[in-house]
């Protein structure tokens, strides 16, 4: 054991306490990356429910970090285009997720187009994932993020239309009428 002078020990302890108070040591709810996403979300309208915040990154809040219950393994929002070209929620769509370990699960979209699978119902989810929403399969794989909106962002000034742009694949779109009887819709 190397002897440490009391002055060095006090300096090292003071430095550790200072880092800890800044969130640099351990997890204390101040992780700047997820916190920046949460802080950037628009104000909540209405009360939280399965229908709230369509198109937003669900796992930012419904995770160990965010702490909102229930915690999700995967979640997102599915849209369709109206005859006028506007985006609208796509309810009753079957979203099937295939993980790299082999199992698959599915969820149905609700009236807001939202779907989710709770973490306790798929605790062993293994990335990368493949996804099919209705009759559309995603061509790329999901490598690490359970919030669809991390890549499939809502339209904005720099991403008009369906939200596609340099930092977004655009929202998840299915064809109008692409519903499934399992999810309360018509024939797939």
């Amino acid at each position: 054991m190397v002897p440490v002078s009391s002055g060095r020990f006090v300096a090292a302890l003071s430095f550790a306490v200072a880092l800890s108070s800044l969130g640099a040591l351990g997890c204390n709810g101040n992780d700047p990356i997820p916190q920046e996403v949460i802080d950037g979300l628009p104000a909540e309208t209405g009360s939280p429910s399965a229908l709230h915040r369509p198109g937003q990154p669900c796992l930012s809040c419904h995770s160990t970090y965010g702490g909102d219950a229930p915690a999700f393994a995967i979640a997102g929002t599915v849209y369709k285009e109206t005859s006028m070209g506007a985006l609208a929620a796509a309810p009753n769509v079957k979203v099937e997720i295939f993980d790299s370990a082999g199992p698959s699960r599915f969820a149905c979209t609700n009236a807001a187009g939202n779907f989710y699978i709770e973490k306790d119902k798929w605790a062993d989810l293994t990335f990368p994932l493949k996804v099919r929403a209705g009759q559309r399969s995603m061509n790329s794989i999901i490598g690490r993020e359970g919030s669809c909106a991390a890549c499939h962002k809502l339209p904005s000034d720099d991403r008009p239309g369906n939200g596609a742009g340099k930092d977004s694949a655009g929202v998840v779109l299915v064809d109008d009428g692409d519903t499934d009887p399992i999810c309360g819709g018509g024939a797939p």
Side-chain angles (χ1 to χ4, degrees), residues 79-170:
Y79 294 90
K80 61 183 178 179
E81 285 185 330
T82 66
S83 60
M84 301 298 288
L87 295 177
N92 307 320
V93 173
K94 181 180 176 187
V95 179
E96 194 165 10
I97 301 99
F98 306 87
D99 85 0
S100 59
S104 70
R105 304 276 196 293
F106 76 90
C108 297
T109 59
N110 62 24
N114 292 341
F115 71 92
Y116 59 89
I117 297 175
E118 294 179 16
K119 188 169 185 70
D120 66 353
K121 295 197 175 31
W122 205 355
D124 61 344
L125 175 71
T126 306
F127 287 90
L129 311 173
K130 289 203 159 263
V131 176
R132 181 175 51 236
Q135 298 301 310
R136 293 203 179 171
S137 293
M138 196 164 125
N139 292 328
S140 60
I141 60 169
I142 300 169
R144 67 188 183 290
E145 170 64 52
S147 289
C148 300
C151 295
H152 296 276
K153 298 179 182 178
L154 290 168
S156 64
D157 291 341
D158 60 332
R159 293 186 312 273
N162 69 5
K166 65 181 179 185
D167 66 340
S168 172

Side-chain angles (χ1 to χ4, degrees), residues 42-59:
E44 178 77 57
T45 57
S47 57
S49 74
L51 302 174
H52 82 141
R53 296 190 178 271
Q56 296 182 16
C58 310
L59 272 75

Side-chain angles (χ1 to χ4, degrees), residues 48-50 52 58 61-72 116 118-119:
S49 74
H52 82 141
C58 310
C61 298
H62 292 272
S63 65
T64 304
Y65 179 81
D68 287 351
F72 296 151
Y116 59 89
E118 294 179 16
K119 188 169 185 70

Side-chain angles (χ1 to χ4, degrees), residues 19-31 65:
L19 284 177
S20 178
S21 70
L22 294 173
L25 296 176
C27 180
N28 65 3
N30 290 320
D31 188 333
Y65 179 81

